[in-house]
Amino acid sequence: MTPLLFDRQHELGLITAAMEGAERGAGSLVVVTGGIGNGKTALLRALPAAAERRGMQVVTASGALLERDFPLGVVSQLLDPLLPGMPADPPGDPNGPELHGELLSLVAERSARTPLLMLVDDLQWADAPSLRWLGRLAKRLGALHVAVVATVREGDPGADEPRVYDITDRAAHVLRPGPLSPASTAALVADRFGRVGDPAYVAACHEATGGNPMFLTATLAALAGTGEPVAARAHTVREPGLASLRERLAVALRSQPAPVRELAKALAVLDETADPELAGRLAGLDGTGRDEAARGLRRLGLLADGPGLRFAHRAVRDAVEESMTPAEQEDIHVYAALLLHSGGHPAELAATQLLAATSCHDTWAVEVLRAAATAAVRRGAPRDAARYLRRALLGSAPGGPDRATLLVELAAVERAFDPQAAMRHLSQALLLLPTAAQRALAAARIPPALLGGCPAPVVDAVVKLAAELGDPAALRGTERQMALRMEARARHVAVAGPEELVLCADRLRSLGPVPRLDTAAERELVTVLLHGATLTQRMTAAEIAPLANRVLQYEPAAPGHVHTALPLLAHVLVAADSVEAVGPWLETARERARRENATVPHATISLELAHVLLAQGRLEEARARAEEALDLGIADWATLQAMTAVVLVALQTRDAELARRLLSHRREGDGHGYRPSSLQLIRGSNAAARGDLPTALEYFLDWGRAAERADWCNPAVFPWRSWAAGLHYRLGRPDHAHDLVDEEYERAVAWGTPVAIGRAQRVKGAVTEGERGIELLRESAATLDRSVNAMERARTALLLGRRLQAAGRPAEAEVRLRQARDQALACGAPWIVERARRELHTMASGHTSLAVEALTPTERRVAGLAAHGAANKDIAEQLDVSSRAVEKHLTRAYRKLQVGGRTELAALAHLLPGPTAAVRP
């Protein structure tokens, strides 16, 4: 039995009883009714085989909407097998009693010899003469050897015609097949895919189609070849649009009266969550008309069971939408938006309608779209908000402040996921706004880090605007806040030239010993000035760190800080070796950005965190945050300056793949203007890794020259002199190395952080021979003990351990090497771990070799046999000594070799004689 008939046993039983009655000469009529696709035709198709097995003759006919004008068309289909050659248009009046009587006599005569089963599909579309003849046949069935089974599509206008009622009212049984059960759905899935479907997949199929056989079979046909019916693919069940059913559904709808069609259009436009009253108003129906139209759709099988007005399948909605002309769609969407807006519904519902109606440019529509954008931002959907505002732009004049206002609002939303589009729209807005105050409000939406990547006219406009607004100290209120923000942007490293950068420290001091931080604009300017003072090293870390931490205390941990100058704060605190507070602050902001689906803030904060984690020596975590930012697409829009943290992570972790990704995303000179290109450092590191030291040195020196021209003096930011000094030393140029590292050390001391000083001391120790070099490394270790950077401590410990081992101080060397190994393990620096382990292994091997030499010949033979697996008894027999003597020799050997037993002794087998060497001559 086909799975479509698994739930049709009751119907089949009643039809079988009708066939049995026909065999006895007591014929009857069975009517199968219901909405579209409920399996009426499938049931009919299963009957001929059963009837023929009983010896009955089967004749079939099918009504067709386009063939209703052919008189006796259905009767001709039925009787042609009984009277071969019967003309399609029998002579005589098709409605006349004479012709009908002749045809009825024919049926009676033939059925008396062989019982008949007559199957009529889609009775509602039969022509009028055929309906009259079938009505007369139905009256006489009780005395005939004929069983008639007819299907009627409920809800079709033809099903309500009196002639159809004349037939169906005489039915012995009216059957309404229900939806398929979950078990039958599972059987259909197995039949289609050739394997049993996962319960979750089957449940999804059943829920999506409501068990309707037509929707279910069409869905499974569309899913065939898309993958196995497993739980992981259950979400794909609702994806197919079932294009194969659209025409069939459209035909069913076209035959409906106008109120039914209008309600269907209203439901398609308002979606499945439509309020019935609103749908009725949109369809132009009062309450009674709406309920009547809904009954028509439900009887037709196009509405799902249960409360509310919901289509049985998305294919119904697709068919309704395709039935509408573009003009109809435009009008109904605009009207729906207006009804939703005037009815106090959420703005996003009305805005969704306006997205589909591009011709409506009324003022109310623009306000609805702006309100919807605000709501979308609140629920963490910035892309939806941007769609609403872009639609609002369609209705704005090509110039003027109204359009500029929309452009600014759109850019503020786009910053969360498409900064490049946001910059374009802000640039357009700046050209349209008439007053300096309005332009300042727009320019304040431009993230300072991205301003350097804007077209030159935009950058010039912002700089001129800062000058136009005047001295913030002479202003009050909003004007003062705007002036502060414009000054911050003009002094930002992405905009200001080197001659401006060196003035940041003086400007910061002019704000007094305790600058005001009450407003976001004040904090933004102070952050920019702190960063400039840090880069140029015009202030000390002791002056910088307290003020930077004060700014952090005033600033909420929100994702929106990335659209201001605040990301520079992490750079400042990293350089000042004061990152205890900023790490948790950034974690809070990152989690909020993730919840709000703010891609750009999420990526930017991940980079800030990477920088902070790197400063703590947590390399694995820093790499993870950098890769997270790249995966979020930051390389597609961020300036090279904003990517500094990724560059540092690639350098410090020696991650070749990370370096490759950076170089593949960025071209030389892209987005850094007069500032040094960080990619030079990546190229230098790559050259050093492949052993091309001269090329690597040239890259680092070239970067350093550019940094000096830009007044980037602070070794705590980029210790390029240390990197170049190491290369000079390896190339046999110790004098050049000493000159660079001495300058680095002098600047590090002036800056005053343990990490900068300790790093410079380590490099000085590395390029200094003898006892003085060891002493400098000890000073580096002591200095770095005060720093939070465990990675730098591990590097110094490794170098100091190696130098101590070379100087013949194994005990102290071992302590330092173990420190290096343990700290590097915690940091995630495998190359340091490997080097420390190799040094420790070499030390252990040298110590063990001496210990082996200290063994007596007998102890060496006994230990060798034991190390190669011989038991004490076997050793005693081979050496012709007692077992007690073997135990004593082994105990002394263990003590001299400093091993704990046979397991550790086995590791020294290569240093001890084997069985052959131990055999007595």
Side-chain angles (χ1 to χ4, degrees), residues 899-911:
V899 297
R902 280 178 172 268
T903 301
E904 294 182 21
L905 183 64
L908 306 177
H910 63 288
L911 299 175

PDB file of all heavy atoms in Angstrom, residues 899-911:
ATOM      1  N   VAL A 899      68.636   8.318  39.560  1.00  0.00           N
ATOM      2  CA  VAL A 899      67.395   7.832  38.969  1.00  0.00           C
ATOM      3  C   VAL A 899      66.607   7.111  40.043  1.00  0.00           C
ATOM      4  O   VAL A 899      67.160   6.646  41.046  1.00  0.00           O
ATOM      5  CB  VAL A 899      67.648   6.896  37.761  1.00  0.00           C
ATOM      6  CG1 VAL A 899      68.350   7.649  36.650  1.00  0.00           C
ATOM      7  CG2 VAL A 899      68.449   5.659  38.179  1.00  0.00           C
ATOM      8  N   GLY A 900      65.298   6.986  39.808  1.00  0.00           N
ATOM      9  CA  GLY A 900      64.438   6.422  40.832  1.00  0.00           C
ATOM     10  C   GLY A 900      64.133   4.951  40.666  1.00  0.00           C
ATOM     11  O   GLY A 900      63.376   4.393  41.468  1.00  0.00           O
ATOM     12  N   GLY A 901      64.659   4.269  39.680  1.00  0.00           N
ATOM     13  CA  GLY A 901      64.374   2.853  39.498  1.00  0.00           C
ATOM     14  C   GLY A 901      64.614   2.422  38.068  1.00  0.00           C
ATOM     15  O   GLY A 901      65.231   3.132  37.257  1.00  0.00           O
ATOM     16  N   ARG A 902      64.100   1.227  37.741  1.00  0.00           N
ATOM     17  CA  ARG A 902      64.361   0.642  36.428  1.00  0.00           C
ATOM     18  C   ARG A 902      63.774   1.466  35.279  1.00  0.00           C
ATOM     19  O   ARG A 902      64.367   1.530  34.198  1.00  0.00           O
ATOM     20  CB  ARG A 902      63.785  -0.788  36.378  1.00  0.00           C
ATOM     21  CG  ARG A 902      64.669  -1.833  37.052  1.00  0.00           C
ATOM     22  CD  ARG A 902      64.024  -3.203  36.999  1.00  0.00           C
ATOM     23  NE  ARG A 902      64.941  -4.239  37.473  1.00  0.00           N
ATOM     24  CZ  ARG A 902      65.764  -4.935  36.688  1.00  0.00           C
ATOM     25  NH1 ARG A 902      65.767  -4.709  35.396  1.00  0.00           N
ATOM     26  NH2 ARG A 902      66.564  -5.841  37.183  1.00  0.00           N
ATOM     27  N   THR A 903      62.585   2.102  35.514  1.00  0.00           N
ATOM     28  CA  THR A 903      61.960   2.876  34.434  1.00  0.00           C
ATOM     29  C   THR A 903      62.853   4.029  34.001  1.00  0.00           C
ATOM     30  O   THR A 903      63.102   4.241  32.805  1.00  0.00           O
ATOM     31  CB  THR A 903      60.599   3.415  34.885  1.00  0.00           C
ATOM     32  OG1 THR A 903      59.764   2.320  35.244  1.00  0.00           O
ATOM     33  CG2 THR A 903      59.933   4.210  33.760  1.00  0.00           C
ATOM     34  N   GLU A 904      63.366   4.793  34.972  1.00  0.00           N
ATOM     35  CA  GLU A 904      64.247   5.910  34.633  1.00  0.00           C
ATOM     36  C   GLU A 904      65.594   5.405  34.140  1.00  0.00           C
ATOM     37  O   GLU A 904      66.227   6.031  33.281  1.00  0.00           O
ATOM     38  CB  GLU A 904      64.433   6.812  35.849  1.00  0.00           C
ATOM     39  CG  GLU A 904      63.136   7.515  36.283  1.00  0.00           C
ATOM     40  CD  GLU A 904      63.344   8.442  37.474  1.00  0.00           C
ATOM     41  OE1 GLU A 904      64.498   8.845  37.711  1.00  0.00           O
ATOM     42  OE2 GLU A 904      62.373   8.756  38.168  1.00  0.00           O
ATOM     43  N   LEU A 905      66.022   4.262  34.654  1.00  0.00           N
ATOM     44  CA  LEU A 905      67.296   3.692  34.206  1.00  0.00           C
ATOM     45  C   LEU A 905      67.235   3.294  32.732  1.00  0.00           C
ATOM     46  O   LEU A 905      68.196   3.447  31.985  1.00  0.00           O
ATOM     47  CB  LEU A 905      67.646   2.475  35.066  1.00  0.00           C
ATOM     48  CG  LEU A 905      69.000   1.797  34.772  1.00  0.00           C
ATOM     49  CD1 LEU A 905      70.154   2.747  35.085  1.00  0.00           C
ATOM     50  CD2 LEU A 905      69.138   0.508  35.590  1.00  0.00           C
ATOM     51  N   ALA A 906      66.066   2.810  32.303  1.00  0.00           N
ATOM     52  CA  ALA A 906      65.907   2.395  30.907  1.00  0.00           C
ATOM     53  C   ALA A 906      66.135   3.550  29.940  1.00  0.00           C
ATOM     54  O   ALA A 906      66.581   3.347  28.803  1.00  0.00           O
ATOM     55  CB  ALA A 906      64.527   1.794  30.693  1.00  0.00           C
ATOM     56  N   ALA A 907      65.845   4.794  30.374  1.00  0.00           N
ATOM     57  CA  ALA A 907      66.056   5.956  29.510  1.00  0.00           C
ATOM     58  C   ALA A 907      67.526   6.217  29.250  1.00  0.00           C
ATOM     59  O   ALA A 907      67.884   6.948  28.329  1.00  0.00           O
ATOM     60  CB  ALA A 907      65.405   7.188  30.138  1.00  0.00           C
ATOM     61  N   LEU A 908      68.411   5.592  30.078  1.00  0.00           N
ATOM     62  CA  LEU A 908      69.866   5.785  29.915  1.00  0.00           C
ATOM     63  C   LEU A 908      70.518   4.580  29.257  1.00  0.00           C
ATOM     64  O   LEU A 908      71.742   4.457  29.263  1.00  0.00           O
ATOM     65  CB  LEU A 908      70.514   6.037  31.284  1.00  0.00           C
ATOM     66  CG  LEU A 908      69.899   7.181  32.111  1.00  0.00           C
ATOM     67  CD1 LEU A 908      70.607   7.266  33.467  1.00  0.00           C
ATOM     68  CD2 LEU A 908      70.030   8.492  31.372  1.00  0.00           C
ATOM     69  N   ALA A 909      69.732   3.706  28.670  1.00  0.00           N
ATOM     70  CA  ALA A 909      70.273   2.465  28.097  1.00  0.00           C
ATOM     71  C   ALA A 909      71.331   2.738  27.041  1.00  0.00           C
ATOM     72  O   ALA A 909      72.295   1.964  26.890  1.00  0.00           O
ATOM     73  CB  ALA A 909      69.140   1.623  27.511  1.00  0.00           C
ATOM     74  N   HIS A 910      71.174   3.853  26.300  1.00  0.00           N
ATOM     75  CA  HIS A 910      72.130   4.148  25.229  1.00  0.00           C
ATOM     76  C   HIS A 910      73.510   4.521  25.766  1.00  0.00           C
ATOM     77  O   HIS A 910      74.497   4.523  25.021  1.00  0.00           O
ATOM     78  CB  HIS A 910      71.596   5.285  24.365  1.00  0.00           C
ATOM     79  CG  HIS A 910      71.425   6.588  25.110  1.00  0.00           C
ATOM     80  ND1 HIS A 910      70.427   6.774  26.048  1.00  0.00           N
ATOM     81  CD2 HIS A 910      72.137   7.747  25.057  1.00  0.00           C
ATOM     82  CE1 HIS A 910      70.504   8.015  26.539  1.00  0.00           C
ATOM     83  NE2 HIS A 910      71.541   8.615  25.952  1.00  0.00           N
ATOM     84  N   LEU A 911      73.593   4.868  27.078  1.00  0.00           N
ATOM     85  CA  LEU A 911      74.888   5.219  27.687  1.00  0.00           C
ATOM     86  C   LEU A 911      75.528   4.043  28.416  1.00  0.00           C
ATOM     87  O   LEU A 911      76.664   4.165  28.884  1.00  0.00           O
ATOM     88  CB  LEU A 911      74.687   6.380  28.673  1.00  0.00           C
ATOM     89  CG  LEU A 911      74.154   7.695  28.077  1.00  0.00           C
ATOM     90  CD1 LEU A 911      73.903   8.702  29.196  1.00  0.00           C
ATOM     91  CD2 LEU A 911      75.161   8.254  27.071  1.00  0.00           C
TER      92      LEU A 911
END
